[in-house]
Amino acid sequence: MSSDLQPEIDLLRNWIVQNRPNVRSVADDEELIESRILDSFALLEFVFFVEEVFGREIVLDESVARNFRTLSSVCRHFKEGVSNVEREDA
């Protein structure tokens, strides 16, 4: 795990723990949907929170399931995506 992603991972983990009463902790690579940490309603709320954290709109399509598997995959996908956009603008 790259340490440059850790602040965002911790922010997302804290949101889950605060908003999902039955969840006490979430590992960086723990399956969020398969392990039922996030149900369908909580996933939508989580997507909106991720939009706020990374400052970009997320299109709700099959990429959500693919990119929202773990905290690590969420942060890798959206932080790298932000970096790629910044590089293209430079």
Side-chain angles (χ1 to χ4, degrees):
M1 171 58 49
S2 176
S3 63
D4 63 327
L5 297 176
Q6 202 59 52
E8 289 86 359
I9 289 173
D10 291 341
L11 189 62
L12 299 182
R13 181 187 349 270
N14 289 339
W15 184 92
I16 290 172
V17 170
Q18 290 175 0
N19 289 280
R20 302 294 294 163
N22 296 329
V23 178
R24 296 185 189 267
S25 67
V26 182
D28 293 0
D29 292 320
E30 188 169 355
E31 293 285 337
L32 299 175
I33 298 168
E34 286 183 21
S35 65
R36 300 184 190 268
I37 290 172
L38 297 177
D39 59 21
S40 57
F41 183 70
L43 177 62
L44 288 175
E45 291 180 322
F46 186 64
V47 167
F48 296 138
F49 181 69
V50 171
E51 285 181 329
E52 290 178 29
V53 169
F54 290 99
R56 52 192 290 213
E57 185 177 347
I58 298 169
V59 177
L60 297 175
D61 60 12
E62 66 276 353
S63 69
V64 169
R66 184 174 57 248
N67 295 316
F68 279 74
R69 292 185 60 193
T70 68
L71 293 174
S72 296
S73 67
V74 171
C75 290
R76 271 193 308 269
H77 177 75
F78 291 102
K79 191 161 188 171
E80 289 174 3
V82 169
S83 297
N84 289 338
V85 169
E86 291 170 355
R87 275 189 246 141
E88 289 174 5
D89 291 342

